[in-house]
Amino acid sequence: MNMKLMTRAAILLAVGLTLSMVPGSAQDSASTSDPAMDKLWGDSVVKLRAENAERGQLFDEGNYAMFIHWGLYSQLGNQVNGKTYYGIGEWIMNPRMAGIPVADYKKLAGSFNPVNFDAQQIASIAKDAGMKYIVITAKHHDGFAMYDSQANDFNIVDATPWGKDPMKELAAACREAGMGFGFYYSHNQDWTFPGGGGGPTVDEDGNPATFDDYFNKKCLPQVKEITTEYGPIEIVWFDTPGKMPKHYVEQLVDVVHKNQPRAMVSGRAGHGLGDYQTLGDMEVPRENIEGLWESVDTTNDSWAYAWYDEYWKSPREILSRLLACVGRGGTYMLNIGPRGDGAVPERAAATLRQSGEWIRRYPQVVYGTQASPWEHALPWGDVTRKGNTLFLCVFDWPTSGKLYLPNLKTEILSSELLVGSQSEPIAWNRSGDSVVLELPPRAPEKLVSVIELQLASEPEVDPVWTLDPNVETEILAEFADVTNIEKSGKRWMEKFGEWKGIIHAHGFETGGKATWEIDVIEPGDYNVDLTYAGEGRLVWEVEIEGGQKIRNQQNSSHNYQSFPIGWLQFPHPGRYRVSVSCIDGELESASLKAIRFSPIR
């Protein structure tokens, strides 16, 4: 996962920060006047082109974006002929969901009339949320184009009673709001066009259809359209390349870079040809990742609108996942799924705006920042950085009034508690290898409180996990060293398309163990829980190497749950090695996710 795709200098060069070209042919000069384009781009073309010089850096420095899944599938909302299908809504046509025949699905366009679509409102929600650009589905796997495509008439202008191009409106609204704009395009899968991935294998005349037919008649022409007809765009977000041959992807990437020299291509283009890495759906990393990357996530469970899906991320959860991505060195793109009528679900808009209000108060914490020197979250929250400045984002305010920063070796020049634009100094002292901040009894913010540390030089930190004396410390199995067992990734769907994933330790039947190196600030007793899955009753052993050993039998479940094992005593401050083994029961089923330590008061 720690794969550096491109250096910062290389990627900024690739997106063309000099920006001497405008969309169209690569020979078009920025001084060329096109009244139609000037009207689309807004009243002040000169100002806009100056903004574009900055906008090439949005991915690397903006760190937060809006994803939009909206299409023909949205009017179904996961309900077909009175039956609800549970899972991601944009796949409703697929045989793994409702299995709607191509002819029946195409007929849906005749009743698609999104009269409540409001491009200005969507741009306003994104801007109020603190997002810096929007990426929207131009064409998803169903093959329906949400723009006025000349290459294929299965599109929102030609096939619906609404007859408008919402992408023109949204592109203009983003420019007016000073935001970037980009397109999602499903380049491999097309379930309604002959020859497309997962699509019909014969054309309307019954002749065999090949992928080459789909690519040349629809895919390539449509990518040319979305990169020439909508003004400057920031990203073309290709998806699910499958076994698409490399030469097709190369053509698409060349088209994007020719027509939009500052636009970036998503990592899901395939064959390593993207400009940055895209993690798995809904995947928020737990440790720092090198290079340029993004995490894509949803405001509820489904990407596209599903009528029953009211499991919204709270403002606090949105900020937690955003800061986790920024703190690991990446970008967070959070999705909304408008209804079939074009309206944004009210709760999605409300939670985005509430979390955005916090970002408005603390923009320096999110934008243009670097990864945390600890390389992972801390028990009380997370950290972002700008040069010699650290921003401590405290989610769990310590009731003791003491906040512990483990193994920060750099000299501290100042420490301030931020309250919006105001600040107040806070005292600190060193205790062994840790810094202890003296905090007021109450958190100043309801969502996340912020402490700013000015350091004398770039931070020097030992990122070893440290048990916090105030709050529970959870350490994932992915941070363990393993002996005679395996450590690997595991992903599964709890509903269709709603991915979960961990890195787990397993294979305990070989008699191996998972071991963590940890620091202890305050000696004493700590309660130990293990989070695991398995079958039947399992016997676990937890050992301090050279010290106490505890053992317990607990139940297990097919899903991951936490069970208490017992108390461990750390007799003095310092560094320890703690090991976990599963020693009895159905060992082949045992899957360890995490160990948790809670101080005993």
Side-chain angles (χ1 to χ4, degrees), residues 378-452:
L378 295 172
W380 41 260
D382 222 319
V383 179
T384 64
R385 170 191 165 212
K386 281 186 180 177
N388 299 347
T389 302
L390 298 180
F391 299 104
L392 315 182
C393 304
V394 185
F395 284 82
D396 295 312
W397 195 256
T399 56
S400 69
K402 298 181 185 297
L403 187 78
Y404 291 84
L405 272 181
N407 295 308
L408 175 61
K409 304 179 187 303
T410 315
E411 178 188 354
I412 298 175
L413 300 180
S414 66
S415 175
E416 294 186 318
L417 178 62
L418 306 185
V419 186
S421 60
Q422 306 298 313
S423 64
E424 60 181 72
I426 55 176
W428 58 273
N429 60 77
R430 287 194 177 271
S431 176
D433 291 331
S434 296
V435 172
V436 184
L437 304 174
E438 303 291 339
L439 303 185
R442 291 187 178 181
E445 292 284 353
K446 292 182 178 179
L447 295 177
V448 191
S449 296
V450 180
I451 299 167
E452 179 182 304

Side-chain angles (χ1 to χ4, degrees), residues 95-110:
R96 284 178 280 180
M97 291 284 279
I100 305 172
V102 171
D104 292 347
Y105 190 80
K106 283 190 167 185
K107 289 178 183 177
L108 293 173

Side-chain angles (χ1 to χ4, degrees), residues 245-263:
K246 184 176 182 179
H247 68 93
Y248 292 119
V249 180
E250 288 174 331
Q251 290 181 67
L252 296 177
V253 172
D254 287 346
V255 165
V256 174
H257 287 163
K258 174 187 174 184
N259 293 340
Q260 296 281 347
R262 63 190 160 276

Side-chain angles (χ1 to χ4, degrees), residues 290-318:
E290 295 289 330
L292 289 173
W293 59 270
E294 71 179 352
S295 171
V296 290
D297 202 3
T298 64
T299 46
N300 49 353
D301 281 338
S302 177
W303 299 92
Y305 174 71
W307 74 265
Y308 63 86
D309 188 356
E310 293 290 337
Y311 185 50
W312 304 101
K313 289 179 173 61
S314 68
R316 181 181 172 91
E317 186 176 4
I318 289 172

Side-chain angles (χ1 to χ4, degrees), residues 287-571:
E287 59 182 326
N288 288 8
I289 299 176
E290 295 289 330
L292 289 173
W293 59 270
E294 71 179 352
S295 171
V296 290
D297 202 3
T298 64
T299 46
N300 49 353
D301 281 338
S302 177
W303 299 92
Y305 174 71
W307 74 265
Y308 63 86
D309 188 356
E310 293 290 337
Y311 185 50
W312 304 101
K313 289 179 173 61
S314 68
R316 181 181 172 91
E317 186 176 4
I318 289 172
L319 291 175
S320 174
R321 295 172 77 83
L322 167 63
L323 291 170
C325 288
V326 176
R328 306 290 74 76
T331 290
Y332 186 56
M333 187 156 69
L334 184 59
N335 178 77
I336 63 170
R339 298 186 182 96
D341 66 0
V344 177
E346 294 78 8
R347 284 176 173 148
T351 57
L352 287 173
R353 283 187 162 126
Q354 289 169 37
S355 54
E357 174 59 23
W358 183 91
I359 297 172
R360 187 190 64 78
R361 291 164 61 82
Y362 303 103
Q364 70 273 36
V365 176
V366 175
Y367 307 129
T369 56
Q370 300 159 277
S372 167
W374 280 271
E375 301 179 7
H376 53 73
L378 295 172
W380 41 260
D382 222 319
V383 179
T384 64
R385 170 191 165 212
K386 281 186 180 177
N388 299 347
T389 302
L390 298 180
F391 299 104
L392 315 182
C393 304
V394 185
F395 284 82
D396 295 312
W397 195 256
T399 56
S400 69
K402 298 181 185 297
L403 187 78
Y404 291 84
L405 272 181
N407 295 308
L408 175 61
K409 304 179 187 303
T410 315
E411 178 188 354
I412 298 175
L413 300 180
S414 66
S415 175
E416 294 186 318
L417 178 62
L418 306 185
V419 186
S421 60
Q422 306 298 313
S423 64
E424 60 181 72
I426 55 176
W428 58 273
N429 60 77
R430 287 194 177 271
S431 176
D433 291 331
S434 296
V435 172
V436 184
L437 304 174
E438 303 291 339
L439 303 185
R442 291 187 178 181
E445 292 284 353
K446 292 182 178 179
L447 295 177
V448 191
S449 296
V450 180
I451 299 167
E452 179 182 304
L453 295 187
Q454 295 287 344
L455 307 180
S457 60
E458 290 197 355
E460 181 184 354
V461 169
D462 184 345
V464 67
W465 280 90
T466 302
L467 303 192
D468 194 283
N470 289 315
V471 297
E472 175 184 276
T473 302
E474 180 184 63
I475 311 178
L476 297 172
E478 67 184 85
F479 293 98
D481 296 323
V482 297
T483 305
N484 294 329
I485 61 172
E486 296 181 54
K487 186 173 70 170
S488 62
K490 177 182 179 181
R491 282 175 66 79
W492 67 96
M493 292 187 289
E494 295 192 353
K495 288 192 288 290
F496 179 78
E498 295 176 14
W499 285 99
K500 308 292 182 182
I502 63 168
I503 295 176
H504 67 137
H506 56 104
F508 287 96
E509 63 268 28
T510 61
K513 60 185 178 180
T515 303
W516 296 265
E517 193 170 60
I518 61 173
D519 276 359
V520 173
I521 297 172
E522 288 192 4
D525 290 326
Y526 287 75
N527 187 66
V528 177
D529 291 348
L530 296 179
T531 303
Y532 61 88
E535 297 178 8
R537 294 188 178 276
L538 298 173
V539 178
W540 295 91
E541 185 172 271
V542 183
E543 176 184 11
I544 300 173
E545 293 187 1
Q548 186 185 5
K549 180 187 297 183
I550 58 176
R551 183 182 293 183
N552 208 339
Q553 182 189 67
Q554 296 287 16
N555 197 9
S556 59
S557 170
H558 70 281
N559 59 355
Y560 289 88
Q561 298 183 24
S562 294
F563 297 93
I565 303 301
W567 291 14
L568 273 181
Q569 185 182 65
F570 297 94

